[in-house]
Amino acid sequence: MFTKRSPLTLVVSLMTAATLLAGCGAGNAGQNNTGAATPAPSTAPSTAPSTSPEPAKSGGEVNIYTARHYDVDKELHAAFTEQTGIKVNVVEGKAPELIERMKREGASTPADLFITVDGGILNSAKTEQLLQPIASEVIDKQVPADLRDKDNNWIGLSSRARVIIYAKDRVKPEQLSTYEDLATDKWKGKIAVRSSENLYNQSMLASFIDVMGEKEAEAWAKGFAANLARKPEGGDRDQAKAVVAGVADVAIMNTYYVGQLAASEDAEEKKVAEQIGVFFPNQQTTGTHLNLSGAGLLKTSKNKENAIKLLEFLTAAEAQTKISAANFEFPVNSEAKLPELLTSWGTFKHQNIDFAKYGELNPKAVEIANKVGWE
Amino acid sequence: MKKSLLPRSARRQINGWTMASVIGAAVVLLPILYVLTGLFRPANENWDKVKQFLLTDYILGSAKLVIFTGFFATFIGVVLAWLVVGYSFPLRRFYKWALVLPLAMPPYIAAYTYSSMTGYTGVIQATLRNRFDLVLPPGTIDVMSDRGAIFVLTLCLFPYIFMLTRVFLERQSASFIENARLLGHKPLSVFFRVVLPLARPAIMAGVMLVLFEVLSDFGVANYFGVQTVSTAIFQTWFGMYDVQSAMKLAAWLMVAVLGLFMLERLLRRSRRYASPTSRSNPLKPQPLKGIAAWGATLFCTLVFLLAFFFPIAQLVVWAIETGGTVWRSDFLDLTVNTLKGAGLGTAIVLLIAILSSRAARMFDSPFMQALTRLLSAGYAVPGAIVAIGVLAVFIALDEWLAPFYGMLGKEEGALVLSLSLAMLITGYVIRFMATGYGALEAGYEKMPKAYSEASRTLGRSSLATFFRVELPLLRGSLLSGFVLTFVEVVKELPLTMLLRPFNYDTLSTRAYQYATDERVFDAALPSLFLVLIGLISVLFILKAERS
């Protein structure tokens, strides 16, 4: 971590010279800086009181770096503030970029919680030694152990299954069985999937490396890539549209996009959702691939109690029900109510896997995808 | 002789201007230099894999995109500019400004809009299917491809070339073109032998902007599945979790772009473009008749519809459908944030652009040339990479200033600068220095040096010379520099994502929030707001230009 500083020394020394010049020259640049700094939200000074050992019931704040960008999250944060008086400050960004920012900020980082949508990335925050254990009996009760880090460095907030969807008019669910089956000649030219540059696919391939072993996973990826009906393009929703349009017969996609399609404001998208079926593969064998959205507690958190309070709030049945209803994600708290669409799919068995593997094996997955030509 | 002259001339020139230029340059250069240090980082095994599996394809992908987009955008931009300046035809007055409007459209929004419009559930196929029972075979309209990316990027970027070329031709070309016409040159010959060579600096300035936009584009390429160096950078970073190799790749991209810069400069070197008559009479357009007139109108209309009207109309329809659920009371804040960031960023860009283009004019040396190129290099690499450079410098600055913060009573290790808006604004300045600098440089290039020298000889101070002589002549360049930069910052996304302070959302981040979740319809309302701000600023400038 600290080796990164070495090229910086050059830059810093250059900067010293520049700032010295700035000091004696016109205060132009400096003024611009301070002028711009004033409207920034309250930072260090106002956090100071909240770090005192007395956890004031009202007031204080909690700082989140999050890669989740859903309206429902904003609503829940507002509800939390109303309930507790704790202000929630948010920086939204892409997960790897936020990790980079936290790493560079080091011990000074203002972030208390890091929230993202992939178990692998949560784990890479852990291996970068950014996180600390979350100690809360409430959370232990609300989040099952298999949806948490084994050292409690992060917890799941919601999950999504990566399933096979099929054209109801051309494919019978009995024809479908496993992910492995999709790599056989039976499906030649009949599969749609998005690019392997997408994290969902990388995590899925990483999970296969763990479940099947590297060699088998590579063979699978090769067969699978050869069966694609078209060059990967677009997002998950576009794969469903490709199936309905007749480009492909089956596609791999995330359950929560199926929900979004069904709830779309656009009549044509709704029709697409009606014409596809959802199939949970590998029920007799290794289970369907599941991904987690979750939160990690920063090692350097200055508002630790507030952060844990927020996590307790977000994993309580009430908030979980809201997340699931708005986003069609599966709740981690079993007491939460599912929206009708999700209950209609019934229960399913998911891969029994340590989510940390997604992170560890991600580079390998990318390498395999590149090697077998899954664009 | 020369040796004894240098110190004195240097002493004369070392004043507030040079000091300010040095500071401005330092602010911009440090993060760029930080990115360039990537060249010297040790290569790891990921770097080898990148080289082995990705690099050739991705360089070819980038080259293809750059060449085709560059060609089409130049063709459309220059032809349209010449049409509206050199000829009169129906609707000419309207298209003179309307064809600049696509600038307000962020390419990635256009990409999402076009792919949804032409896709299976989009308005075209859905109408054919539901009204006429006509099902297009899959792949009939395939926007999500290399060709689609070239199409979208061309339509979003040609206005750079159109705008710069048009302004140039309007102001500078009248006497040459009228003479050529008098001497009996045919229209095509006027275009190829007079217009093109004459407008070359303006065209090249526009082409450079387009090329950099294409090279640094991640949004369109990523969504359409086109493999480019930019997407390779992010695949290395996000996929292999290897920031070091990603930075190394970005550094090489930057070097390649600097090389391109130098090459263009070298090719232009031997020619002079300064025009002794800075206030020449405007060119009188020749009236077109019959088929030619309607042909010109048709071409303008086609480009306008495709680049602006259709996507905007689609966004309006979506915004009406989804407005109720997407509208939130914080839209005003988003708008204010967007304007604040763009306003501050643009002002500083122009300030530094004036300082540095002036400095480059005074001390015209290869070193100075290289330095000013380096100043603009932020435009050619993806925003997120620039952001890392800025982050590194600001955090180092905070560490360095820690004792000072302590005296002010902040807690130990507090981050002040890097949690302030100043960091984001600095990011904007570095990323978009090129648009401001390019405009100012072109402005100075048209202005004979003798003007400033005469003013100085007559005893005016450097400052007075600037305000009394140069500024009035630079007005047009400043205006186009302002609008180009302002609209860029309004559209900016990746820097904002990575460098923003807490609770700071802009229209662009709000649009992204929905678009990244494949909720294109919901992204329409913030996108429209964003386009509207861009439009207002473009119209404002056009009005100012006319008066």
Side-chain angles (χ1 to χ4, degrees):
Chain A
M1 212 168 112
F2 287 92
T3 49
K4 210 157 289 134
R5 295 270 154 77
S6 57
L8 257 186
T9 47
L10 168 88
V11 172
V12 170
S13 52
L14 271 170
M15 203 159 45
T16 316
T19 329
L20 281 176
L21 279 171
C24 50
N28 229 333
Q31 253 163 28
N32 281 328
N33 279 347
T34 44
T38 35
S42 56
T43 51
S46 48
T47 44
S50 68
T51 49
S52 61
E54 281 244 313
K57 186 105 194 164
S58 66
E61 52 189 2
V62 55
N63 297 329
I64 313 180
Y65 282 8
T66 178
R68 279 176 66 96
H69 36 248
Y70 307 116
D71 287 341
V72 64
D73 288 28
K74 294 191 183 104
E75 283 152 24
L76 288 172
H77 295 159
F80 176 71
T81 305
E82 193 161 310
Q83 202 176 82
T84 60
I86 298 168
K87 186 166 187 292
V88 183
N89 296 316
V90 178
V91 171
E92 278 175 26
K94 295 181 186 170
E97 295 178 348
L98 292 173
I99 288 185
E100 191 60 23
R101 183 164 172 176
M102 290 186 291
K103 268 164 70 182
R104 286 177 185 273
E105 287 170 342
S108 310
T109 184
D112 298 305
L113 289 174
F114 170 58
I115 300 179
T116 184
V117 288
D118 178 79
I121 292 203
L122 283 168
N123 187 63
S124 77
K126 182 187 174 190
T127 52
E128 295 283 359
Q129 306 193 332
L130 293 170
L131 305 180
Q132 64 171 319
I134 299 165
S136 157
E137 283 174 18
V138 180
I139 295 175
D140 290 350
K141 234 180 279 163
Q142 293 179 158
V143 184
D146 64 342
L147 299 177
R148 262 190 271 150
D149 172 46
K150 60 177 189 291
D151 302 316
N152 257 345
N153 275 205
W154 50 261
I155 59 158
L157 292 175
S158 58
S159 70
R160 309 93 183 273
R162 201 152 181 77
V163 296
I164 300 175
I165 58 125
Y166 57 93
K168 279 184 188 164
D169 59 342
R170 272 164 282 145
V171 179
K172 290 197 184 72
E174 301 84 66
Q175 291 169 270
L176 294 161
S177 56
T178 59
Y179 296 109
E180 287 86 339
D181 184 52
L182 293 183
T184 60
D185 282 345
K186 193 165 123 195
W187 298 102
K188 189 133 216 124
K190 290 185 175 163
I191 305 174
V193 74
R194 74 196 290 182
S195 162
S196 72
E197 281 173 29
N198 178 262
L199 185 64
Y200 299 136
N201 283 339
Q202 291 170 1
S203 285
M204 182 176 72
L205 189 49
S207 78
F208 292 168
I209 297 172
D210 188 55
V211 172
M212 309 173 185
E214 191 183 327
K215 260 212 184 108
E216 292 293 312
E218 185 175 329
W220 176 84
K222 200 171 172 188
F224 179 75
N227 283 349
L228 297 187
R230 65 169 185 192
K231 194 169 114 52
E233 61 178 39
D236 269 11
R237 286 183 193 216
D238 296 308
Q239 311 315 318
K241 291 176 191 173
V243 165
V244 173
V247 177
D249 286 347
V250 296
I252 287 192
M253 75 185 273
N254 210 320
T255 43
Y256 108 119
Y257 287 115
V258 179
Q260 306 251 344
L261 275 178
S264 174
E265 289 100 346
D266 185 73
E268 290 299 316
E269 287 206 332
K270 273 201 171 117
K271 279 194 220 162
V272 167
E274 282 158 17
Q275 294 175 63
I276 57 171
V278 171
F279 183 84
F280 288 86
N282 294 47
Q283 290 306 296
Q284 265 66 54
T285 58
T286 49
T288 299
H289 173 69
L290 195 70
N291 210 335
L292 260 196
S293 176
L297 177 63
L298 269 285
K299 199 165 68 180
T300 49
S301 166
K302 294 169 188 79
N303 308 298
K304 190 171 155 183
E305 285 178 32
N306 291 348
I308 290 178
K309 263 189 211 160
L310 177 60
L311 291 182
E312 289 171 350
F313 175 85
L314 289 176
T315 51
E318 196 188 339
Q320 289 276 303
T321 305
K322 277 189 188 150
I323 292 178
S324 190
N327 257 4
F328 302 99
E329 295 174 286
F330 294 103
V332 290
N333 187 331
S334 53
E335 281 167 28
K337 281 194 198 74
L338 290 171
E340 211 184 295
L341 180 73
L342 299 199
T343 32
S344 76
W345 293 336
T347 53
F348 65 95
K349 170 182 162 188
H350 64 81
Q351 282 173 336
N352 183 18
I353 186 173
D354 179 3
F355 290 96
K357 294 285 177 205
Y358 294 4
E360 285 165 27
L361 297 170
N362 196 299
K364 194 94 225 159
V366 171
E367 192 190 330
I368 289 179
N370 286 333
K371 213 155 121 191
V372 302
W374 175 1
E375 281 183 22
Chain B
M1 183 86 183
K2 230 179 177 178
K3 223 177 175 187
S4 66
L5 259 176
L6 248 176
R8 184 153 34 109
S9 77
R11 212 177 315 133
R12 189 158 47 97
Q13 302 285 12
I14 289 182
N15 48 30
W17 284 97
T18 33
M19 294 296 263
S21 316
V22 168
I23 296 159
V27 169
V28 178
L29 283 180
L30 286 176
I32 289 179
L33 289 176
Y34 180 79
V35 174
L36 280 177
T37 57
L39 292 179
F40 308 110
R41 285 171 211 213
N44 56 19
E45 53 175 312
N46 283 333
W47 178 249
D48 295 335
K49 275 178 215 151
V50 170
K51 277 204 296 195
Q52 191 186 343
F53 294 119
L54 306 174
L55 216 49
T56 332
D57 285 353
Y58 285 18
I59 288 175
L60 286 177
S62 272
K64 191 171 164 192
L65 214 54
V66 160
I67 291 169
F68 282 102
T69 310
F71 175 78
F72 289 123
T74 311
F75 177 79
I76 295 178
V78 173
V79 168
L80 286 176
W82 173 231
L83 273 180
V84 301
V85 173
Y87 297 97
S88 67
F89 51 89
L91 292 177
R92 162 181 174 263
R93 278 171 171 281
F94 170 70
Y95 284 124
K96 228 169 116 175
W97 59 269
L99 287 169
V100 181
L101 300 184
L103 269 192
M105 188 86 168
Y108 80 95
I109 301 278
Y112 278 104
T113 310
Y114 257 108
S115 72
S116 300
M117 277 170 83
T118 58
Y120 177 76
T121 57
V123 58
I124 299 171
Q125 293 203 41
T127 310
L128 288 176
R129 193 166 56 235
N130 299 336
R131 290 268 172 84
F132 305 102
D133 210 17
L134 197 72
V135 178
L136 293 181
T140 314
I141 316 176
D142 188 15
V143 180
M144 289 213 186
S145 58
D146 302 8
R147 276 173 302 152
I150 293 167
F151 173 77
V152 167
L153 287 170
T154 300
L155 288 180
C156 289
L157 300 177
F158 86 86
Y160 285 113
I161 300 172
F162 171 76
M163 183 174 163
L164 294 176
T165 312
R166 196 207 71 197
V167 170
F168 182 89
L169 288 175
E170 268 175 352
R171 279 163 205 233
Q172 303 292 324
S173 65
S175 53
F176 298 99
I177 290 165
E178 270 158 15
N179 282 333
R181 279 177 177 166
L182 280 175
L183 290 170
H185 277 278
K186 294 254 158 25
L188 271 184
S189 157
V190 172
F191 179 72
F192 282 107
R193 301 197 40 197
V194 183
V195 173
L196 273 189
L198 198 64
R200 190 168 142 189
I203 297 174
M204 280 318 290
V207 171
M208 280 292 167
L209 293 182
V210 171
L211 297 191
F212 295 166
E213 286 274 349
V214 174
L215 281 174
S216 64
D217 164 76
F218 174 66
V220 177
N222 182 47
Y223 186 58
F224 284 0
V226 181
Q227 301 183 315
T228 65
V229 177
S230 267
T231 61
I233 289 173
F234 287 97
Q235 210 188 344
T236 315
W237 181 357
F238 297 174
M240 298 178 177
Y241 296 167
D242 186 355
V243 190
Q244 300 300 310
S245 297
M247 294 286 280
K248 209 174 163 73
L249 205 53
W252 279 110
L253 178 63
M254 211 181 241
V255 168
V257 166
L258 287 172
L260 214 64
F261 253 144
M262 293 297 194
L263 189 72
E264 192 271 332
R265 194 73 208 174
L266 209 67
L267 292 174
R268 219 162 74 179
R269 182 109 239 187
S270 54
R271 297 158 196 243
R272 287 190 174 279
Y273 291 94
S275 150
T277 49
S278 61
R279 196 174 281 260
S280 52
N281 296 322
L283 178 68
K284 272 217 183 69
Q286 268 187 347
L288 286 178
K289 285 190 192 99
I291 296 184
W294 290 109
T297 309
L298 194 70
F299 183 50
C300 291
T301 307
L302 187 72
V303 173
F304 179 73
L305 288 179
L306 286 175
F308 192 74
F309 184 80
F310 288 150
I312 293 289
Q314 177 68 82
L315 284 177
V316 169
V317 170
W318 286 337
I320 292 169
E321 277 176 6
T322 60
T325 51
V326 173
W327 173 262
R328 303 165 139 263
S329 54
D330 64 351
F331 259 76
L332 185 66
D333 295 337
L334 301 186
T335 311
V336 169
N337 282 345
T338 305
L339 287 174
K340 191 165 68 184
L344 279 170
T346 309
I348 300 174
V349 162
L350 288 182
L351 194 71
I352 298 179
I354 291 175
L355 292 174
S356 52
S357 53
R358 222 170 168 257
R361 193 171 149 92
M362 283 181 196
F363 315 98
D364 189 12
S365 66
F367 173 72
M368 206 63 199
Q369 287 300 339
L371 204 65
T372 54
R373 294 303 119 191
L374 208 53
L375 278 181
S376 310
Y379 200 44
V381 279
I385 298 294
V386 173
I388 290 196
V390 177
L391 207 54
V393 170
F394 266 71
I395 289 168
L397 204 58
D398 266 338
E399 281 170 14
W400 188 65
L401 289 173
F404 177 65
Y405 296 155
M407 283 191 290
L408 291 180
K410 309 248 162 170
E411 61 190 285
E412 202 180 324
L415 296 174
V416 177
L417 281 178
S418 53
L419 289 181
S420 72
L421 192 58
M423 181 160 76
L424 178 58
I425 301 290
T426 309
Y428 287 151
V429 171
I430 294 166
R431 177 91 168 84
F432 299 123
M433 204 54 229
T435 45
Y437 184 79
L440 264 291
E441 189 195 31
Y444 268 116
E445 214 161 88
K446 290 189 305 211
M447 187 195 307
K449 261 189 186 174
Y451 289 9
S452 322
E453 283 162 6
S455 164
R456 294 300 304 276
T457 319
L458 291 172
R460 277 210 174 113
S461 71
S462 188
L463 198 67
T465 301
F466 174 72
F467 279 109
R468 305 288 294 273
V469 179
E470 295 171 11
L471 194 59
L473 293 172
L474 285 176
R475 200 165 154 263
S477 311
L478 269 174
L479 281 175
S480 50
F482 180 89
V483 72
L484 288 177
T485 314
F486 188 87
V487 172
E488 279 294 344
V489 183
V490 167
K491 293 188 289 187
E492 208 291 328
L493 181 67
L495 272 173
T496 317
M497 297 265 290
L498 195 48
L499 296 180
R500 59 177 151 175
F502 278 112
N503 309 326
Y504 186 88
D505 284 319
T506 65
L507 291 168
S508 178
T509 63
R510 181 59 55 84
Y512 168 84
Q513 174 199 325
Y514 295 117
T516 186
D517 206 22
E518 304 178 16
R519 292 164 65 180
V520 190
F521 312 116
D522 296 335
L525 189 66
S527 301
L528 267 185
F529 261 70
L530 200 156
V531 172
L532 208 64
I533 290 186
L535 280 188
I536 291 171
S537 61
V538 170
L539 292 178
F540 169 76
I541 293 305
L542 289 169
K543 201 166 165 57
E545 216 175 49
R546 224 169 293 153
S547 63

